[in-house]
Short mmCIF file of all heavy atoms in Angstrom, two decimals:
data_model
loop_
_atom_site.label_atom_id
_atom_site.label_comp_id
_atom_site.label_asym_id
_atom_site.label_seq_id
_atom_site.Cartn_x
_atom_site.Cartn_y
_atom_site.Cartn_z
N PHE W 82 27.33 -31.41 -36.79
CA PHE W 82 26.55 -31.48 -38.03
C PHE W 82 25.43 -30.52 -38.08
O PHE W 82 24.40 -30.58 -38.80
CB PHE W 82 25.94 -32.93 -38.24
CG PHE W 82 26.96 -33.95 -38.59
CD1 PHE W 82 27.65 -34.70 -37.72
CD2 PHE W 82 27.16 -34.14 -40.00
CE1 PHE W 82 28.60 -35.66 -38.10
CE2 PHE W 82 27.99 -35.17 -40.38
CZ PHE W 82 28.74 -35.96 -39.44
N ARG W 83 25.37 -29.50 -37.19
CA ARG W 83 24.37 -28.60 -37.10
C ARG W 83 24.01 -27.94 -38.47
O ARG W 83 24.87 -27.40 -39.10
CB ARG W 83 24.59 -27.44 -36.03
CG ARG W 83 24.49 -27.92 -34.68
CD ARG W 83 24.90 -26.82 -33.65
NE ARG W 83 26.23 -26.42 -33.87
CZ ARG W 83 26.81 -25.29 -33.45
NH1 ARG W 83 26.04 -24.38 -32.86
NH2 ARG W 83 28.07 -25.02 -33.67
N GLY W 84 22.70 -28.01 -38.83
CA GLY W 84 22.29 -27.35 -40.12
C GLY W 84 22.80 -28.05 -41.31
O GLY W 84 22.70 -27.44 -42.43
N ALA W 85 23.37 -29.17 -41.22
CA ALA W 85 23.96 -29.89 -42.42
C ALA W 85 22.78 -30.58 -43.13
O ALA W 85 21.80 -30.99 -42.56
CB ALA W 85 25.06 -30.89 -41.98
N VAL W 86 23.05 -30.86 -44.39
CA VAL W 86 22.09 -31.59 -45.25
C VAL W 86 22.85 -32.93 -45.61
O VAL W 86 23.87 -32.97 -46.26
CB VAL W 86 21.77 -30.90 -46.60
CG1 VAL W 86 20.85 -31.76 -47.46
CG2 VAL W 86 21.06 -29.54 -46.24
N VAL W 87 22.31 -34.07 -45.02
CA VAL W 87 22.98 -35.32 -45.25
C VAL W 87 22.01 -36.23 -45.95
O VAL W 87 22.03 -37.51 -45.77
CB VAL W 87 23.41 -35.97 -43.84
CG1 VAL W 87 24.54 -36.96 -44.10
CG2 VAL W 87 23.97 -34.83 -43.00
N SER W 88 21.18 -35.69 -46.83
CA SER W 88 20.18 -36.49 -47.44
C SER W 88 20.67 -37.61 -48.42
O SER W 88 21.67 -37.33 -49.18
CB SER W 88 19.16 -35.59 -48.37
OG SER W 88 18.61 -34.68 -47.55
N GLY W 89 20.22 -38.80 -48.28
CA GLY W 89 20.58 -39.90 -49.12
C GLY W 89 22.07 -40.37 -48.94
O GLY W 89 22.55 -41.18 -49.73
N ALA W 90 22.69 -39.93 -47.86
CA ALA W 90 24.05 -40.29 -47.59
C ALA W 90 24.14 -41.77 -46.98
O ALA W 90 23.20 -42.27 -46.41
CB ALA W 90 24.74 -39.36 -46.65
N ASN W 91 25.26 -42.47 -47.14
CA ASN W 91 25.44 -43.70 -46.50
C ASN W 91 26.27 -43.56 -45.25
O ASN W 91 27.39 -43.23 -45.34
CB ASN W 91 26.15 -44.69 -47.47
CG ASN W 91 26.19 -46.17 -46.93
OD1 ASN W 91 25.96 -46.35 -45.76
ND2 ASN W 91 26.57 -47.01 -47.80
N LEU W 92 25.63 -43.79 -43.97
CA LEU W 92 26.27 -43.71 -42.80
C LEU W 92 26.31 -45.08 -42.12
O LEU W 92 26.51 -45.18 -40.84
CB LEU W 92 25.63 -42.65 -41.90
CG LEU W 92 25.72 -41.28 -42.32
CD1 LEU W 92 24.43 -40.75 -42.87
CD2 LEU W 92 26.31 -40.38 -41.23
N SER W 93 26.08 -46.13 -42.81
CA SER W 93 26.06 -47.40 -42.23
C SER W 93 27.35 -47.77 -41.35
O SER W 93 28.42 -47.56 -41.82
CB SER W 93 25.93 -48.55 -43.28
OG SER W 93 24.78 -48.41 -44.02
N GLY W 94 27.09 -48.14 -40.12
CA GLY W 94 28.18 -48.49 -39.24
C GLY W 94 29.06 -47.33 -38.84
O GLY W 94 30.11 -47.54 -38.16
N ALA W 95 28.59 -46.15 -38.99
CA ALA W 95 29.35 -44.95 -38.60
C ALA W 95 29.25 -44.77 -37.08
O ALA W 95 28.19 -45.13 -36.48
CB ALA W 95 28.89 -43.74 -39.31
N ASP W 96 30.24 -44.20 -36.42
CA ASP W 96 30.26 -43.87 -35.00
C ASP W 96 30.00 -42.39 -34.91
O ASP W 96 30.88 -41.61 -35.31
CB ASP W 96 31.55 -44.22 -34.43
CG ASP W 96 31.54 -43.99 -32.86
OD1 ASP W 96 30.54 -43.52 -32.34
OD2 ASP W 96 32.54 -44.43 -32.25
N MET W 97 28.82 -41.99 -34.46
CA MET W 97 28.41 -40.62 -34.29
C MET W 97 28.19 -40.32 -32.80
O MET W 97 27.36 -39.44 -32.52
CB MET W 97 27.24 -40.31 -35.16
CG MET W 97 27.50 -40.55 -36.59
SD MET W 97 26.06 -40.13 -37.71
CE MET W 97 26.26 -38.30 -37.74
N GLU W 98 28.81 -41.05 -31.91
CA GLU W 98 28.58 -40.80 -30.49
C GLU W 98 28.92 -39.34 -30.08
O GLU W 98 30.00 -38.84 -30.45
CB GLU W 98 29.47 -41.70 -29.72
CG GLU W 98 29.28 -41.63 -28.20
CD GLU W 98 30.06 -42.68 -27.45
OE1 GLU W 98 30.66 -43.54 -28.01
OE2 GLU W 98 29.93 -42.55 -26.12
N GLY W 99 27.96 -38.71 -29.43
CA GLY W 99 28.12 -37.31 -29.05
C GLY W 99 28.01 -36.31 -30.09
O GLY W 99 28.32 -35.10 -29.86
N ALA W 100 27.64 -36.74 -31.32
CA ALA W 100 27.54 -35.73 -32.43
C ALA W 100 26.45 -34.73 -32.19
O ALA W 100 25.50 -35.03 -31.50
CB ALA W 100 27.33 -36.45 -33.71
N ASP W 101 26.69 -33.53 -32.70
CA ASP W 101 25.67 -32.46 -32.53
C ASP W 101 24.90 -32.42 -33.90
O ASP W 101 25.41 -31.94 -34.88
CB ASP W 101 26.30 -31.13 -32.20
CG ASP W 101 25.35 -30.10 -31.82
OD1 ASP W 101 24.13 -30.20 -32.00
OD2 ASP W 101 25.84 -29.02 -31.23
N LEU W 102 23.62 -32.80 -33.78
CA LEU W 102 22.80 -32.79 -35.00
C LEU W 102 21.54 -31.84 -34.97
O LEU W 102 20.64 -31.97 -35.72
CB LEU W 102 22.16 -34.29 -35.22
CG LEU W 102 23.24 -35.40 -35.12
CD1 LEU W 102 22.47 -36.78 -35.30
CD2 LEU W 102 24.32 -35.35 -35.98
N ARG W 103 21.78 -30.84 -34.16
CA ARG W 103 20.72 -29.83 -33.97
C ARG W 103 20.61 -28.90 -35.13
O ARG W 103 21.43 -28.93 -36.09
CB ARG W 103 20.90 -29.06 -32.68
CG ARG W 103 20.83 -29.85 -31.42
CD ARG W 103 21.26 -29.13 -30.13
NE ARG W 103 22.58 -28.70 -30.25
CZ ARG W 103 23.18 -27.76 -29.42
NH1 ARG W 103 22.42 -27.29 -28.43
NH2 ARG W 103 24.42 -27.48 -29.57
N SER W 104 19.61 -28.03 -35.08
CA SER W 104 19.43 -26.98 -36.10
C SER W 104 20.66 -26.07 -36.08
O SER W 104 21.24 -25.89 -35.06
CB SER W 104 18.15 -26.18 -35.91
OG SER W 104 17.04 -27.10 -36.01
N GLY W 105 20.94 -25.42 -37.22
CA GLY W 105 22.03 -24.42 -37.21
C GLY W 105 22.09 -23.73 -38.49
O GLY W 105 21.64 -24.07 -39.50
N MET W 106 22.59 -22.41 -38.52
CA MET W 106 22.59 -21.64 -39.64
C MET W 106 23.72 -20.68 -39.55
O MET W 106 23.91 -20.01 -38.53
CB MET W 106 21.28 -20.79 -39.78
CG MET W 106 21.13 -20.05 -41.07
SD MET W 106 21.04 -21.15 -42.50
CE MET W 106 21.42 -20.10 -43.79
N VAL W 107 24.51 -20.57 -40.70
CA VAL W 107 25.65 -19.62 -40.70
C VAL W 107 25.09 -18.22 -40.87
O VAL W 107 24.23 -18.00 -41.77
CB VAL W 107 26.55 -19.99 -41.90
CG1 VAL W 107 27.68 -18.91 -41.99
CG2 VAL W 107 27.19 -21.37 -41.74
N MET W 108 25.58 -17.35 -40.02
CA MET W 108 25.14 -15.89 -40.09
C MET W 108 26.25 -15.00 -40.47
O MET W 108 27.45 -15.31 -40.23
CB MET W 108 24.55 -15.52 -38.75
CG MET W 108 23.43 -16.35 -38.20
SD MET W 108 21.90 -16.36 -39.25
CE MET W 108 21.25 -14.76 -38.82
N GLU W 109 25.99 -13.81 -41.02
CA GLU W 109 26.95 -12.77 -41.31
C GLU W 109 26.31 -11.43 -41.10
O GLU W 109 25.13 -11.29 -41.02
CB GLU W 109 27.45 -13.01 -42.73
CG GLU W 109 26.45 -12.71 -43.89
CD GLU W 109 27.00 -12.76 -45.27
OE1 GLU W 109 28.19 -12.92 -45.36
OE2 GLU W 109 26.18 -12.64 -46.20
N ARG W 110 27.16 -10.41 -41.09
CA ARG W 110 26.67 -9.08 -40.88
C ARG W 110 26.45 -8.45 -42.25
O ARG W 110 27.34 -8.45 -43.04
CB ARG W 110 27.66 -8.23 -39.93
CG ARG W 110 27.55 -8.64 -38.53
CD ARG W 110 28.05 -7.59 -37.57
NE ARG W 110 27.99 -7.98 -36.17
CZ ARG W 110 26.97 -7.86 -35.47
NH1 ARG W 110 25.78 -7.38 -35.95
NH2 ARG W 110 26.92 -8.30 -34.25
N SER W 111 25.31 -7.72 -42.33
CA SER W 111 25.03 -7.10 -43.62
C SER W 111 25.72 -5.70 -43.62
O SER W 111 26.38 -5.29 -42.64
CB SER W 111 23.54 -6.87 -43.84
OG SER W 111 23.11 -5.91 -42.83
N GLU W 112 25.66 -4.95 -44.76
CA GLU W 112 26.21 -3.67 -44.80
C GLU W 112 25.61 -2.75 -43.79
O GLU W 112 26.31 -1.72 -43.29
CB GLU W 112 26.10 -3.13 -46.20
CG GLU W 112 26.89 -3.95 -47.24
CD GLU W 112 26.71 -3.41 -48.66
OE1 GLU W 112 25.81 -2.38 -48.78
OE2 GLU W 112 27.25 -3.91 -49.60
N GLN W 113 24.38 -3.06 -43.36
CA GLN W 113 23.70 -2.19 -42.38
C GLN W 113 24.10 -2.59 -40.96
O GLN W 113 23.63 -1.94 -40.07
CB GLN W 113 22.21 -2.30 -42.53
CG GLN W 113 21.70 -1.66 -43.91
CD GLN W 113 21.90 -2.60 -45.08
OE1 GLN W 113 22.08 -3.79 -44.94
NE2 GLN W 113 22.11 -2.01 -46.26
#
């Protein structure tokens, strides 16, 4: 879940054992 936006979501009773909730950002190479 790195860098995901899960605002206002319902995760009641969900199993997120070992999930990765750290910061994250998709990168790409520019024309330069």
Side-chain angles (χ1 to χ4, degrees):
F82 285 90
R83 285 176 297 161
V86 179
V87 201
S88 298
N91 185 350
L92 295 108
S93 299
D96 185 353
M97 301 182 75
E98 183 172 357
D101 194 342
L102 316 178
R103 294 173 298 171
S104 302
M106 187 65 194
V107 178
M108 306 294 287
E109 66 177 354
R110 288 200 178 276
S111 67
E112 295 178 357
Q113 293 76 28

